Amino acid sequence: EADIYQTPRYLVIGTGKKITLECSQTMGHDKMYWYQQDPGMELHLIHYSYGVNSTEKGDLSSESTVSRIRTEHFPLTLESARPSHTSQYLCASSGTGNQPQHFGDGTRLSIL
Amino acid sequence: GQQVMQIPQYQHVQEGEDFTTYCNSSTTLSNIQWYKQRPGGHPVFLIQLVKSGEVKKQKRLTFQFGEAKKNSSLHITATQTTDVGTYFCAVDRGSTLGRLYFGRGTQLTVWP
């Protein structure tokens, strides 16, 4: 089983709060990804990173930001949460070449 | 735009019936990956196909890559309730950078 961890699993919080979703992997993977997924819907890539100090925006425009200061850690931050940010956020990582992506259990975020 | 078209979006079958989901691309693919996401879970890698005309089997699951490497299918023989979930195909653009483009997924429901 892949070693990629996301915290928190669930978060219910009020509008305007600053939120950081944590993602860590212990596989030494250079590549990490953040996806947004509504229940039963498709995966939307919002951020990805090819290594330390490398981050790129994905296909879906997002008000979130990411950082990659350490290989194993890829946190996602929302400076001021809004109800439209309510969704599930999935973190993934992959090794060299076209190796498959390993996903964390996700964070289900609800903004009131 | 979408890199790969996946159909059908939904499929409801009675236990014991077969199931097939298809992914089609307008461009030649270098490889294709398949993932399964159980309800409430995260995507889990199933298999990767690389060669033209490749066929791979995992118990009741059969994966095919078209001769032209523009389409792929996942066929489940004699579905069971444990097969319930969403099946995604995912492709890259021939790059080794690891970024995947996921299809919209096929949601499979199996009635006992």
Side-chain angles (χ1 to χ4, degrees):
Chain A
E1 192 63 33
D3 296 315
I4 179 163
Y5 308 99
Q6 290 186 244
T7 57
R9 285 292 314 276
Y10 304 92
L11 180 60
V12 181
I13 200 165
T15 299
K17 301 291 186 183
K18 180 178 179 179
I19 299 166
T20 296
L21 307 184
E22 301 289 347
C23 178
S24 294
Q25 51 95 4
T26 58
M27 296 171 282
H29 287 168
D30 285 329
K31 289 169 273 193
M32 296 189 74
Y33 315 84
W34 276 104
Y35 294 88
Q36 186 174 340
Q37 184 186 37
D38 292 324
M41 303 299 285
E42 59 193 295
L43 294 156
H44 294 287
L45 182 68
I46 50 175
H47 298 284
Y48 59 104
S49 168
Y50 293 139
V52 171
N53 294 325
S54 137
T55 61
E56 302 284 343
K57 289 190 179 295
D59 302 318
L60 182 68
S61 175
S62 173
E63 293 164 351
S64 59
T65 59
V66 292
S67 62
R68 190 89 183 274
I69 298 172
R70 303 197 317 264
T71 298
E72 61 271 22
H73 194 212
F74 191 40
L76 180 145
T77 298
L78 279 164
E79 289 294 332
S80 180
R82 295 210 300 269
S84 60
H85 296 138
T86 294
S87 189
Q88 174 169 246
Y89 293 83
L90 288 160
C91 180
S93 71
S94 66
T96 56
N98 294 315
Q99 290 187 27
Q101 294 187 10
H102 300 273
F103 286 81
D105 288 333
T107 294
R108 293 184 187 272
L109 179 63
S110 293
I111 309 299
L112 304 177
Chain B
Q2 212 173 349
Q3 305 299 313
V4 61
M5 182 71 65
Q6 188 172 357
I7 55 170
Q9 189 173 356
Y10 303 96
Q11 186 78 59
H12 307 275
V13 300
Q14 192 131 28
E15 191 171 21
E17 293 182 338
D18 293 355
F19 159 77
T20 305
T21 174
Y22 302 89
C23 275
N24 300 298
S25 169
S26 58
T27 59
T28 302
L29 303 168
S30 60
N31 63 82
I32 190 163
Q33 297 179 13
W34 285 93
Y35 292 77
K36 176 184 178 181
Q37 183 176 21
R38 294 182 186 273
H42 58 271
V44 175
F45 172 75
L46 294 176
I47 211 158
Q48 178 170 268
L49 304 172
V50 178
K51 299 177 184 175
S52 167
E54 189 170 16
V55 178
K56 287 188 177 180
K57 294 192 175 187
Q58 289 179 353
K59 297 183 180 178
R60 293 179 294 102
L61 277 61
T62 302
F63 303 84
Q64 287 190 294
F65 204 7
E67 292 290 342
K69 299 182 73 172
K70 289 186 177 182
N71 54 71
S72 180
S73 64
L74 157 58
H75 179 82
I76 302 178
T77 304
T79 55
Q80 298 175 359
T81 54
T82 53
D83 296 324
V84 164
T86 302
Y87 294 84
F88 292 96
C89 61
V91 303
D92 59 33
R93 283 180 172 171
S95 157
T96 57
L97 295 178
R99 228 207 100 158
L100 292 176
Y101 296 85
F102 283 82
R104 289 191 171 181
T106 297
Q107 266 191 54
L108 173 64
T109 304
V110 180
W111 294 327

